Amino acid sequence: MIRKMTNPEWKYYPKNMGNKLHSLCSYMAMFPPSIPHFFIQKYTAPRDTVLDPFSGRGTTPLEACLQGRIGIGNDKNPLAYVLTFAKTNVPQRGCILLRLAELEKNYEPSDISVKQVEWQIRMIFSNYTLKQLIYLREQLNWKTSNVDAFITAMVLGIMHGNSEGYLSLKMPNTFSMSPNYIQGFVQTHGLKRPKRDTFILLRKKLNRCYQKPKVKGKAYNQDARHLRWIKSDSIDLIVTSPPYTHVIKYGKFNWIRSWFLKEDARKIDSQLFHTQSLTRYLKFMTGVLAEMQRVLKPNGVSVLVLGDVRDKYSKIEVNLASHVWRSCAKPLDFESIEEIREDRIPENTKVSKIWGKLKKGRATKVDRILVLRRRPGLKKEVR
Ligand SMILES: C[S@@+](CC[C@H](N)C(=O)[O-])C[C@H]1O[C@@H](n2cnc3c(N)ncnc32)[C@H](O)[C@@H]1O
């Protein structure tokens, strides 16, 4: 029986652990850097290897690299992948500035027509800004070059928000509202698309968030159940927060950033895991934990942050951490080495308040942290 423990130690740490690179771009359901920071300190030494198989904006691998560990991030979502790639392979500041200067020099607005772009995107940016975005979207090779990935991540970070540091009309930063909602809101409130210079804002963003971690890491774009680029018995620590049961559609709620990446939002969602069925969720998590067991070194530790969810039909709160422990981790012969910790999250950090009427997701305010150790003995076969 696992006892539960409240008031986690990381609550007393500073926001972002004083590291400005964490703010490169916001991401839905991101966890605070203080959580991986605490467990990296507790369970690893410098040069150890730390993995997050659901890395999102890259919080765990970045925090690992900043602490002199080798941070590895993986996420099936291309948006998460580019953010993780940018943070684990940070180029020299001079290389970024040179590339920006080259891009700006070769930019020729008269060659570009905004008509080629769908109305949903055109209603958000002024023609002046949109031409720059269309150009950068064509030029930036974010899949192969770390300099271009860093610039792309900065564009994604300033793409939409509610101040003069952003390229769009006034709107939430963390996620995109639906096109029809934006259209209605723009008409009702008479919002105007601001004329913003992307190159100027990118240089300002670079000044705000640039930081070079001590150690380089790695980024992958695989399904978390098949991390084929990661060797067996190679990872010292995993710190991760897997998707919950059907709370977030990362593609749909990031359709503006997906456009910039030339990725189809619906296709992204079809490739990510989400379900409303607890049975299917536990089957998925069994596959994920089996893969974690494969890549972990004997005695390696895995920290899972799992939010409680409310069942869609019965409206009963489901303690996912306890289900994952009993139905997935225990049968795989993981050892639970800490009491489950409870982390209560203030309601107002869950959604942006800028546009008032937003609905809250079904995720509740309680996150639970499960700490598991891979036993040194033989691993069980999982089907
Ligand atoms: C709760 S978020 C992780 C957020 C992250 N901790 C952060 O701080 O940004 C869960 C992540 O799981 C990813 N995901 C969903 N299904 C996946 C799968 N089958 N394989 C790999 N990643 C997946 C989503 O894209 C999302 O980024």
Side-chain angles (χ1 to χ4, degrees):
M1 182 71 185
I2 309 174
R3 281 185 298 137
K4 67 176 192 200
M5 181 177 159
T6 46
N7 277 339
E9 295 87 327
W10 54 86
K11 285 279 176 212
Y12 306 102
Y13 288 176
K15 188 172 180 268
N16 280 349
M17 299 308 307
N19 292 313
K20 48 191 186 172
L21 188 50
H22 282 298
S23 315
L24 188 56
C25 177
S26 94
Y27 192 79
M28 296 181 82
M30 57 196 180
F31 55 28
S34 50
I35 295 182
H37 182 94
F38 174 79
F39 289 104
I40 289 166
Q41 286 286 317
K42 183 162 182 181
Y43 288 112
T44 64
R47 304 305 303 177
D48 276 0
T49 309
V50 180
L51 166 70
D52 185 347
F54 301 99
S55 59
R57 65 170 177 161
T59 316
T60 293
L62 172 58
E63 204 45 45
C65 294
L66 287 165
Q67 291 182 59
R69 279 71 168 166
I70 299 158
I72 304 178
N74 171 78
D75 201 294
K76 193 72 189 118
N77 182 356
L79 168 60
Y81 168 73
V82 69
L83 301 180
T84 304
F85 181 29
K87 287 175 178 174
T88 50
N89 290 271
V90 179
Q92 297 293 342
R93 183 196 285 262
C95 297
I96 301 169
L97 286 169
L98 268 178
R99 176 72 170 134
L100 277 174
E102 178 198 51
L103 285 163
E104 194 170 15
K105 188 168 150 251
N106 296 330
Y107 173 57
E108 191 39 79
S110 56
D111 294 347
I112 298 167
S113 160
V114 295
K115 290 204 183 103
Q116 56 175 295
V117 173
E118 48 273 42
W119 68 267
Q120 292 93 331
I121 295 292
R122 274 189 275 137
M123 77 176 157
I124 293 167
F125 306 101
S126 67
N127 289 354
Y128 179 89
T129 309
L130 185 53
K131 283 188 177 194
Q132 294 176 326
L133 285 173
I134 295 169
Y135 167 74
L136 289 172
R137 182 176 183 254
E138 287 306 319
Q139 297 299 314
L140 290 168
N141 264 320
W142 56 268
K143 288 188 184 163
T144 48
S145 149
N146 67 330
V147 176
D148 283 13
F150 199 92
I151 296 172
T152 302
M154 289 199 298
V155 175
L156 298 169
I158 60 170
M159 201 139 186
H160 48 82
N162 73 335
S163 74
E164 291 185 358
Y166 295 100
L167 300 168
S168 69
L169 44 77
K170 211 170 180 178
M171 61 191 296
N173 167 240
T174 308
F175 63 98
S176 328
M177 311 298 300
S178 78
N180 289 340
Y181 187 90
I182 298 176
Q183 193 183 34
F185 198 89
V186 167
Q187 279 166 4
T188 315
H189 295 83
L191 293 191
K192 293 268 175 289
R193 302 168 306 158
K195 182 181 172 187
R196 301 254 159 83
D197 190 288
T198 313
F199 295 103
I200 293 177
L201 291 194
L202 280 174
R203 289 193 184 91
K204 287 188 178 167
K205 175 80 180 168
L206 184 67
N207 287 338
R208 282 200 303 278
C209 71
Y210 184 80
Q211 194 180 1
K212 190 152 170 57
K214 292 182 206 157
V215 171
K216 242 174 88 169
K218 287 182 190 150
Y220 299 112
N221 187 209
Q222 305 277 302
D223 187 292
R225 290 163 292 184
H226 309 285
L227 302 168
R228 75 179 105 131
W229 303 111
I230 302 180
K231 285 191 191 142
S232 300
D233 305 336
S234 63
I235 303 291
D236 295 281
L237 173 69
I238 292 172
V239 185
T240 192
S241 76
Y244 306 164
T245 47
H246 200 84
V247 176
I248 294 169
K249 289 213 165 166
Y250 290 92
K252 183 176 167 188
F253 292 130
N254 269 302
W255 62 271
I256 304 172
R257 291 186 175 114
S258 304
W259 167 79
F260 188 76
L261 293 176
K262 296 190 185 168
E263 297 283 343
D264 183 290
R266 262 173 302 194
K267 190 169 163 217
I268 293 175
D269 284 328
S270 72
Q271 291 177 342
L272 297 180
F273 180 80
H274 47 79
T275 179
Q276 303 197 35
S277 148
L278 182 61
T279 312
R280 276 202 290 275
Y281 182 76
L282 294 174
K283 188 166 178 230
F284 170 74
M285 285 306 294
T286 298
V288 170
L289 279 157
E291 188 64 346
M292 287 183 181
Q293 197 174 51
R294 178 185 73 76
V295 299
L296 275 174
K297 290 180 182 170
N299 286 316
V301 172
S302 180
V303 177
L304 285 99
V305 180
L306 292 153
D308 284 7
V309 287
R310 180 166 297 161
D311 182 75
K312 192 185 174 201
Y313 304 105
S314 67
K315 307 287 178 219
I316 291 170
E317 296 289 311
V318 180
N319 177 337
L320 278 187
S322 152
H323 279 283
V324 167
W325 163 243
R326 274 189 278 113
S327 308
C328 316
K330 209 164 170 230
L332 282 166
D333 212 18
F334 272 101
E335 183 188 356
S336 167
I337 54 170
E338 287 195 23
E339 295 156 301
I340 293 185
R341 286 182 159 88
E342 252 183 41
D343 193 358
R344 290 187 175 269
I345 302 155
E347 187 85 19
N348 62 6
T349 62
K350 282 275 177 193
V351 290
S352 165
K353 289 186 283 184
I354 304 165
W355 278 17
K357 288 182 191 160
L358 309 181
K359 282 191 223 140
K360 294 183 180 85
R362 276 199 298 281
T364 66
K365 289 171 285 175
V366 183
D367 275 351
R368 294 177 206 273
I369 288 114
L370 194 57
V371 185
L372 309 167
R373 191 195 317 267
R374 184 198 139 179
R375 289 187 207 272
L378 278 177
K379 283 175 271 178
K380 289 197 170 178
E381 286 293 319
V382 185
R383 298 257 158 252

